[in-house]
Amino acid sequence: QALMAGQTPYKDVVFVHGFFRDPGVALVAFRLFDVSVAAVRSLEQFLYALFVVAAYYLALACLGGSGALLYSFLTMTGFWSWFHDWRIVPSLGALTCLVIYVRRRRLRWVVSAGFLTFVALFIAIDTGLVTLVSAAALCMAVTLARWREVKLAVIMAYAMPVLLGLGSVVLYFVSTNSLLPFIEWHRQIQEVARDWSGL
């Protein structure tokens, strides 16, 4: 419609896609900087810095100080450049909270992990599912190692933020009579993403 109205792509029109990622980043960038592609790219660079920090703390929680420093060196020099999308930042945060819980045994870290898992699901369903599977694998590993330390309170502390967040989203779409269109739309997006990745 914009093209038929005579507007120019990448000057008057900014193409966005995805449920939250690109529209969300674009709207924030337009508010903070300017209505342009350059503004979106600038905000993405800032989010990349957040990823580096989140990944460092995950390495610090899992490997300790020397391992985290080595990881940071390899990442920031480009030798081990595996980051490709800022969507995994909430996932890294959730896993970091779970690792810290294993070390400190404070339920607030599990609640934080559950909330960040919901954020990961909200941003991108594939990243959120990977986070859920990773959290389940970590819990199973702790269960096999020290089964008496995994209690119902831990499972509930992790599951409640996820379920409350997803329940709020579902209630919102139900109240606007758009739950089924949203599910269908998301299914089509996943098919397109799969086909695009297949190319």
Side-chain angles (χ1 to χ4, degrees):
Q1 291 176 350
L3 291 173
M4 288 188 292
Q7 293 178 300
T8 305
Y10 296 104
K11 179 177 181 294
D12 304 315
V13 183
V14 177
F15 296 95
V16 295
H17 59 85
F19 174 50
F20 178 79
R21 179 204 167 187
D22 292 331
V25 172
L27 289 174
V28 173
F30 294 164
R31 293 280 186 173
L32 292 178
F33 305 113
D34 185 23
V35 183
S36 65
V37 177
V40 177
R41 299 292 179 261
S42 298
L43 185 59
E44 287 176 343
Q45 289 302 312
F46 172 74
L47 292 171
Y48 174 79
L50 289 181
F51 159 78
V52 172
V53 174
Y56 170 77
Y57 279 108
L58 178 61
L60 185 64
C62 296
L63 306 175
S66 57
L69 286 176
L70 176 61
Y71 165 79
S72 298
F73 175 77
L74 294 175
T75 302
M76 301 191 80
T77 56
F79 182 79
W80 191 13
S81 180
W82 58 278
F83 172 73
H84 65 282
D85 201 328
W86 68 268
R87 295 179 302 166
I88 65 175
V89 171
S91 179
L92 288 174
L95 296 178
T96 302
C97 289
L98 288 175
V99 171
I100 293 174
Y101 164 75
V102 170
R103 296 194 171 192
R104 299 190 180 177
R105 298 294 191 271
R106 297 288 187 272
L107 279 181
R108 64 172 177 264
W109 293 110
V110 182
V111 174
S112 300
F115 173 74
L116 289 171
T117 300
F118 164 70
V119 173
L121 283 166
F122 186 76
I123 290 175
I125 190 69
D126 52 351
T127 307
L129 290 176
V130 169
T131 308
L132 281 173
V133 172
S134 302
L138 182 60
C139 290
M140 184 168 291
V142 173
T143 302
L144 292 175
R146 300 174 179 176
W147 64 272
R148 290 182 181 174
E149 297 185 10
V150 178
K151 301 176 181 178
L152 184 60
V154 175
I155 298 173
M156 294 302 297
Y158 179 78
M160 287 307 293
V162 177
L163 295 177
L164 286 174
L166 292 177
S168 301
V169 172
V170 169
L171 285 176
Y172 170 77
F173 281 108
V174 168
S175 66
T176 58
N177 294 323
S178 55
L179 181 61
L180 291 179
F182 166 72
I183 294 174
E184 178 62 21
W185 175 85
H186 201 73
R187 185 188 64 78
Q188 292 178 7
I189 288 294
Q190 291 300 314
E191 289 181 358
V192 170
R194 185 176 63 251
D195 295 340
W196 175 260
S197 299
L199 294 176

